[in-house]
């Protein structure tokens, strides 16, 4: 590249090209969902290379290392984001990595060369730090051209990287750029490592060369590793002559989106600037997280996504943006970054739907948060203090910034315990930091990784064969590798090649037999504990099986055929859903078994009955068309260019397998499928339900199971028709007619009941007594009453009273619960004369073992003691003077 790179896109490409020319292999960014189960999110470029650092996997011999532009999300310092120009939740980490092929000498020389020859940074503004005892690194830096007074030695906290209490570790060397004294603290001893903004760290070089032991001793590794990270946004700031990340090209463009939506101008009000920066930063994190398959939820990475999204929306509201607005940021991000990260282009429709749904949901949550705060403030008076735990709950659960809580409280003259809030925030950060540091290197190096590293991948021949000859390369019993296993033993078998499909991509593993003349294994399941390793688990039903035995492996062919029918049907189903519901539909999980299929997908409301029928119709039309199902391998780039559907959130290598179902569906898939769609036979949706916010589930059957399902329904219909003594196709018409008759009977019964009630209450009114200026009726309805019937009785009394002072106290035993209930009511004239329904209930209800209340005109109560009704009636007469 002849010109100096200044834009983010130019810097990214210049970096990758530079290390490619040094012999590193360019790798695509890995997903934000890491393979490491101990991490919620990908937080650094080295995450996808852990197995290579641990020598469990190896690069192609043609390359000396790897280089990437890795998308990362870190939220441990979320509350700092926006308050300064350095911290971001989403950022791009430019990295290069060596696993024994090059080390400090080459890395320092190349880092200095890239900084001065490619970026053309001024040499006298470049500073480096080294670990206190790392004389080697200091000497190397001097040799490549860094002035001795520009080399600073720092201790373990700053310049020594550790994976945890034990394990890989080593010194670091960081590169800084002097942004000038005008942005610094002004102290004469200001230097790299100072908390001010003068010296900006832009590149961290980690030299992993030791293995820390339990006793703290440092054992040198067989060879040193290189792990570097250069923050693209920070380098872009340097190259574009700005101090803040938010003034760089991409982020400043997103700040501009916020300006346009709010009508505010960046740089005129610090509170407004904070909100504009938070929206610009969080919108990128949200877009890329959803693009990689993360959906909002109340736990794990889904919770982090929801928290970022709600924080962005809240800050939009704070600066006057009304209604959903994040789509505007999405459009800008896709336009700017889509060419480099195609997943956000492919999943744009889904991302847009998620944003829309979550913004609507959060609008309701904000109301709940304000209600929570109102409740918390109830009882507090001017000068009191709201506790820090409540303020933190508002922040963490409802997305209320501390400043907003403090502002609302200040309007009422109430203080907020900032120290208590800070303690809660610190505790949360420490938990997050501890989880990240202590867990980062766990979960690697188990028995299957060892087998894969020792023997290599299992050759899968199951696409074209149902059986094959193979060799047992390892046997596992009770979690340990053994040389032989005998009849009755539960065993896991690793073969050099296999026709058995290992459970993956939603498809269940194959079953079958593995045997030779010495023994037989009934295989109950096949899994893939490592990406390229098949593990056959079962029971030895006869004889003895030994390591290195030659065996014959044979799958259950009929079961495989049923699975294949359901798997191809799943592909057809997904394409049909997209056609009926829209492009936002993405697979969010699946199960492909011999007897059924289950398909989870992103959608934001229940499917209508008509939509379900249309999906079924489309699927069965494709099945009956007898379309050929073709499979082939191609590059991931070519597949994307051809519009092949990728599994949402899945990680793919350089080459992929495509399954084409006629012209209807093209999808990346490693599973087993039918040869023609007609082999599926019949497709029937059994159920459509919700399984999470924004996620629906369809359960369906095909082939013989679909036949059984339809036969069961048909028999139920025929049985009903026989009972009604009519033809099966007349059942619906007859049931509708019977329902109309039943409705009429219920209407007549209700009318008769009302007439009877009117008659009864008419008699009660005749028996009314004078009670201190109003007429009073006290009634015991006996068993079978309800609050509704009591209220209807009071309506009758009011109508008959014709506005004259009248009151009613009525008791009954509930028809559905068998417990006593009570109602007291009086018209306005009776209340004016002294009747109070609430007072009556309060005094009388205890006698039926209950309580209640209401207004002077009407109150009610429930109790537990029906035997107290007589005493309650007597008490009511006493207090009312009847």
């Amino acid at each position: 590249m002849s010109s100096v790179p200044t834009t983010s896109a130019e810097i990214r490409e210049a970096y990758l090209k530079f290390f490619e020319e040094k012999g590193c292999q360019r790798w695509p960014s890995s997903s934000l969902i890491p393979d490491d189960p101990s991490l919620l999110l990908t937080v650094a470029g080295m995450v996808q290379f852990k197995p290579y650092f641990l020598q469990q996997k190896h690069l192609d011999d043609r390359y000396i290392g790897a280089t990437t532009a890795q998308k990362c999300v870190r939220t441990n310092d979320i509350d700092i984001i926006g308050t300064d120009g350095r911290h971001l939740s989403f950022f791009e980490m430019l990295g290069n990595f060596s696993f024994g092929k090059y080390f400090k000498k080459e890395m320092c020389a190349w880092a200095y060369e890239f900084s001065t020859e490619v970026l053309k940074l001024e040499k006298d503004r470049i500073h480096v730090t080294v670990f206190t005892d790392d004389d080697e690194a200091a000497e190397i830096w001097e040799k490549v051209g860094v002035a001795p007074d520009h080399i600073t030695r720092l201790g373990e906290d700053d310049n020594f990287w550790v994976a945890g209490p034990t394990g890989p570790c080593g010194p670091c060397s960081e590169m800084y750029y002097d942004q000038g004294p005008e942005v610094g603290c002004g102290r004469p001893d200001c230097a790299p490592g100072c908390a001010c903004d003068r010296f900006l760290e832009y590149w961290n070089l980690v030299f992993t060369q030791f293995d820390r032991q339990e006793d703290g001793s440092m054992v040198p590794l067989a060879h040193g590793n290189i792990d570097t990270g250069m923050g693209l946004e920070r380098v872009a700031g340097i190259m574009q002559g700005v101090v803040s990340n938010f003034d760089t090209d991409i982020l400043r463009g997103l700040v501009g989106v916020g300006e346009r939506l709010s009508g505010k101008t960046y740089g005129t009000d610090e509170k407004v600037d904070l909100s504009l920066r938070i929206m610009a930063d969080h919108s990128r994190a949200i877009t890329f997280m959803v693009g990689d398959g993360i959906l909002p939820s109340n736990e794990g990475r889904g919770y982090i996504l929801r928290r970022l999204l709600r924080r962005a929306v809240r800050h939009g509201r704070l600066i006057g943006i009304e209604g959903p607005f994040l789509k505007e940021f999405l459009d800008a991000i896709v336009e700017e970054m889509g060419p480099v990260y195609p997943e956000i282009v492919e999943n744009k429709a889904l991302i847009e739907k998620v944003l829309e749904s979550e913004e609507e949901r959060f609008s309701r949550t904000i109301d709940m948060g304000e209600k929570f705060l109102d409740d918390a403030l109830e009882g507090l008076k001017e000068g009191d203090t709201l506790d820090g735990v409540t303020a933190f709950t508002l922040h963490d659960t409802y997305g209320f910034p501390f400043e907003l809580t403090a502002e609302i409280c200040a309007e009422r003259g109430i203080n907020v315990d900032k120290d208590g809030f800070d303690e809660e925030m610190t505790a949360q950060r420490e938990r997050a930091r501890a989880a990240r540091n202590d867990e980062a290197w766990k979960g690697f190096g188990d028995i299957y990784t060892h087998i894969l590293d020792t023997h290599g991948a299992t050759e899968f021949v199951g696409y074209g064969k149902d059986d094959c000859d193979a060799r047992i390369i390892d046997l596992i019993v009770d979690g340990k590798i053994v040389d032989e296993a005998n009849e009755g033993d539960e065993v896991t078998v690793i073969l050099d090649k296999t026709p058995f499909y290992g459970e993956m991509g939603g498809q269940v593993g194959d079953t079958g037999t593995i045997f030779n003349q010495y023994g037989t294994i009934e295989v109950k399941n096949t899994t893939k504990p490592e990406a390229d390793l098949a593990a056959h688990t079962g029971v030895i039903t006869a004889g003895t099986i030994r390591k290195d035995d030659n065996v014959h492996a044979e799958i259950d062919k009929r079961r495989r055929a049923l699975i294949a029918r359901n798997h191809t049907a799943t592909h057809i189903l997904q394409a049909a859903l997209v056609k009926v519901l829209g492009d936002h539909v993405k697979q969010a999980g699946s199960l492909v078994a011999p007897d059924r299929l289950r398909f989870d997908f992103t959608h934001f409301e229940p499917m209508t009955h008509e939509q379900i029928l249309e999906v079924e119709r489309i699927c069965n039309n494709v099945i009956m068309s007898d379309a050929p199902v073709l499979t082939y391998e191609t590059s991931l780039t070519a597949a994307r260019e051809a519009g092949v559907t990728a599994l949402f959130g899945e990680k793919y290598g350089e080459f992929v397998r495509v399954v084409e179902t006629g012209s209807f569906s093209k999808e990346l898939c490693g599973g087993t499928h039918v040869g023609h769609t007609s082999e599926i036979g019949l497709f029937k949706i059994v159920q459509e339900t919700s399984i999470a916010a924004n996620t629906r589930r369809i359960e369906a059957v095909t082939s013989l199971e679909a036949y059984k399902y339809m036969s069961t329904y048909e028999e139920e219909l025929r049985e009903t028709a026989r009972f009604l003594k009519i033809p099966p196709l007349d059942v619906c018409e007859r049931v509708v007619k019977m329902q109309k008759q039943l409705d009429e009977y219920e209407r007549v019964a209700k009318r008769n009941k009302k007439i009877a009630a009117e008659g009864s209450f008419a008699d009660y009114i005749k028996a009314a007594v004078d009670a201190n200026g109003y007429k009073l009726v006290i009634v015991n309805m006996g068993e079978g009453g309800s609050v509704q019937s009591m209220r209807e009785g009071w309506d009758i009394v009011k109508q008959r009273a014709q506005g004259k002072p009248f009151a009613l106290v009525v008791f009954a035993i509930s028809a559905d619960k068998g417990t006593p209930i009570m109602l007291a009511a009086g018209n306005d004239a009776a209340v004016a004369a002294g009747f109070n329904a609430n007072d009556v209930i309060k005094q009388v209800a205890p006698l039926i073992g209950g309580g209640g209340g209401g207004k002077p005109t009407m109150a009610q109560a429930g109790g537990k003691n029906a035997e107290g009704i007589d005493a309650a009636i007597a008490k009511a007469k006493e207090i009312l003077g009847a």
Side-chain angles (χ1 to χ4, degrees), residues 272-302:
V272 171
D273 291 352
L274 175 65
S275 292
L276 290 171
R277 288 192 290 264
I278 286 173
M279 289 190 297
D281 168 80
H282 288 12
S283 62
R284 287 206 304 170
I286 294 162
T287 295
F288 279 89
M289 289 174 78
V290 178
D292 275 354
I294 301 170
L295 295 175
S297 69
N298 290 326
E299 59 185 15
R301 57 180 68 96

Side-chain angles (χ1 to χ4, degrees), residues 15 27-32 34 39 41-53 66-74 91-99 161 204 206 226-231 441:
Y15 182 95
W27 283 51
S29 171
S30 66
S31 170
L32 287 171
L39 293 175
L41 295 164
T42 298
V43 295
M46 54 76 62
V47 170
Q48 69 171 311
F49 296 109
K50 285 183 186 178
Y52 296 87
F53 280 117
T67 184
T68 63
Q70 175 65 51
K71 52 193 176 185
C72 302
V73 169
R74 294 182 188 173
F91 59 93
E92 292 181 81
M93 183 72 82
L94 302 175
N96 64 285
F97 311 91
S98 170
F99 318 111
W161 179 86
N204 185 17
V206 179
I226 292 293
D227 166 18
T228 80
M230 172 189 276
W441 284 75

Side-chain angles (χ1 to χ4, degrees), residues 850-870:
K855 299 179 180 179
T857 53
M858 181 179 289
Q860 64 189 55
K864 299 178 182 178
N865 179 22
E867 294 179 359
I869 289 179
D870 290 341

Side-chain angles (χ1 to χ4, degrees), residues 1 43 55 65 198 223 237 307 317 381 432 677 817 823 859:
M1 189 174 291
V43 295
Q55 294 295 299
R198 175 174 177 175
H223 53 72
R307 187 178 177 206
R317 288 193 171 209
K381 56 185 182 295
T677 57
K817 296 181 180 178
L823 178 107

Side-chain angles (χ1 to χ4, degrees), residues 705-776:
E705 291 297 326
Y707 170 74
K708 291 179 186 176
Y709 179 83
M710 298 300 292
S711 296
T712 300
Y713 263 69
E714 182 183 13
E715 184 54 35
E716 286 291 325
L717 178 62
R718 291 186 180 279
E719 184 65 24
T720 304
R722 283 193 289 270
F723 177 79
L724 296 174
K725 296 181 173 61
I726 58 173
L729 295 182
D730 291 344
V731 167
C732 181
E733 182 180 351
R734 174 63 62 87
V735 170
V736 170
K737 184 177 179 180
M738 292 171 65
Q739 183 62 51
K740 287 181 179 179
Q741 292 174 336
L742 179 60
D743 290 344
E744 177 62 20
Y745 292 150
E746 290 181 346
R747 187 185 66 79
V748 171
K750 187 175 181 181
R751 184 187 63 197
N752 292 338
K753 186 175 181 180
K754 183 176 181 182
I755 292 171
E758 289 180 351
S760 298
F761 276 95
D763 293 337
Y764 297 148
I765 293 170
K766 292 176 183 178
V769 297
D770 292 320
N772 301 321
Y774 57 88
K775 291 289 186 179
L776 173 67

